[in-house]
Amino acid sequence: GENVEQHPSTLSVQEGDSAVIKCTYSDSASNYFPWYKQELGKRPQLIIDIRSNVGEKKDQRIAVTLNKTAKHFSLHITETQPEDSAVYFCAATPFYSSASKIIFGSGTRLSIRP
Amino acid sequence: DVKVTQSSRYLVKRTGEKVFLECVQDMDHENMFWYRQDPGLGLRLIYFSYDVKMKEKGDIPEGYSVSREKKERFSLILESASTNQTSMYLCASSPIQGQGKTGELFFGEGSRLTVL
C-alpha cells in the first residue's frame, strides 16, 4: 500500500520568509496529491492540490510542485504571515472511480516568528 | 456548505467498554473515512467506506470495526476499549473523484476519546 513520508516535522520561519515542506510517496499509482492545513483546535481543510499531469500549481502565496519520477512533492509558502502558523499534512491517493484511500503524511508544525 | 457532524466531541470511557462514534454527512458523498490523529503520527486511516454496507480496512484497523447502514452515516466501533485507543478520532467524507469533483475530504470536528 501507499506510504507517505513528510519532512520536516517542525519548521520555524521568520515572518515574511518562505517555508518549504517536502513529501515522498511510494505507490506509483498515486496521482492526486492534496495538502491540508489544520489550525489549532480546528479540523483539517484542503488548501491546494495537484494532479500527476501537472508539475506545478500556484494559488496566491501557496504553490505545490510534483516530481513523479522521483515520487516527491512539495508545498511552498512565500511571504509567510502569522496566520500561516498551523500543522500541514500532505497526502497521496490513486485516482479510482470508486474508493479513494487517502493516506496522509505525519504532518509539519509550522510556526511563524514575528 | 458541506457539513460533517460527529456525535460526541469528548468522551471518557473505561477499559473494556464498548464505544460507538457516529458520523453523519449531509452532502450525499459516496466515500466516508475514519482517521485517528495522534501527535507526531499524523492522520492514520482506520477504515473507509465507498458505498452503503461496503467497508475496507485502512492502515490501523485492529481493535476497531465500522458500520455503514445508510449512505450518510458511518459509525466507528471499539468493541472493547483499551488505553492505547485514547486519541482524537476524525471522520471525513468525500465525493468520488471525477466529473469535476476532486475527491476533497471534508472533516468533522473530531471526537476526543479518553480511555481510563
Side-chain angles (χ1 to χ4, degrees):
Chain A
E2 178 63 275
N3 181 50
V4 178
E5 294 192 358
Q6 182 172 347
H7 300 281
S9 57
T10 60
L11 180 60
S12 177
V13 301
Q14 194 76 34
E15 182 176 349
D17 287 351
S18 296
V20 180
I21 302 170
K22 297 182 179 181
C23 291
T24 60
Y25 62 99
S26 61
D27 189 347
S28 57
S30 289
N31 57 8
Y32 174 62
F33 307 93
W35 287 86
Y36 286 79
K37 175 184 180 182
Q38 186 178 28
E39 297 177 3
L40 189 62
K42 297 189 177 181
R43 68 191 81 187
Q45 291 190 302
L46 180 72
I47 55 171
I48 194 168
D49 56 17
I50 191 168
R51 294 197 181 280
S52 60
N53 57 349
V54 176
E56 183 177 4
K57 183 177 179 180
K58 284 185 179 179
D59 183 3
Q60 299 183 333
R61 297 185 297 107
I62 294 174
V64 57
T65 58
L66 170 65
N67 183 328
K68 279 221 79 176
T69 303
K71 292 186 188 164
H72 65 71
F73 57 112
S74 301
L75 178 71
H76 304 253
I77 306 174
T78 58
E79 300 172 14
T80 52
Q81 300 171 5
E83 55 265 34
D84 295 329
S85 293
V87 178
Y88 292 81
F89 295 98
C90 61
T93 183
F95 187 104
Y96 290 146
S97 59
S98 57
S100 298
K101 184 177 179 181
I102 302 175
I103 300 300
F104 285 87
S106 54
T108 296
R109 183 174 298 278
L110 175 63
S111 301
I112 308 300
R113 302 191 305 271
Chain B
D1 278 352
V2 174
K3 193 168 184 181
V4 179
T5 304
Q6 295 184 227
S7 55
S8 305
R9 291 293 307 276
Y10 301 95
L11 303 94
V12 180
K13 297 291 182 181
R14 295 203 176 275
T15 300
E17 281 192 89
K18 192 169 186 176
V19 182
F20 291 89
L21 299 179
E22 298 203 321
C23 176
V24 178
Q25 51 97 1
D26 66 357
M27 280 300 291
D28 201 37
H29 285 167
E30 291 79 9
N31 299 328
M32 295 190 75
F33 304 79
W34 276 106
Y35 287 91
R36 172 175 170 162
Q37 183 172 19
D38 299 288
L41 296 177
L43 300 167
R44 293 182 292 167
L45 182 62
I46 304 172
Y47 269 97
F48 71 106
S49 169
Y50 54 90
D51 201 352
V52 175
K53 297 190 185 295
M54 304 304 289
K55 60 184 179 184
E56 288 206 19
K57 293 180 180 179
D59 292 336
I60 53 164
E62 297 78 19
Y64 303 94
S65 62
V66 291
S67 173
R68 192 163 181 202
E69 295 296 318
K70 293 184 178 181
K71 189 175 184 179
E72 68 271 18
R73 187 180 298 269
F74 192 36
S75 301
L76 181 68
I77 303 153
L78 288 66
E79 292 289 343
S80 177
S82 63
T83 55
N84 62 12
Q85 292 178 310
T86 292
S87 187
M88 171 69 83
Y89 291 88
L90 286 167
C91 175
S93 72
S94 77
I96 291 175
Q97 291 189 55
Q99 298 178 346
K101 297 180 180 179
T102 64
E104 176 182 353
L105 285 175
F106 295 88
F107 284 90
E109 290 188 304
S111 298
R112 184 167 293 283
L113 172 66
T114 300
V115 183
L116 302 175

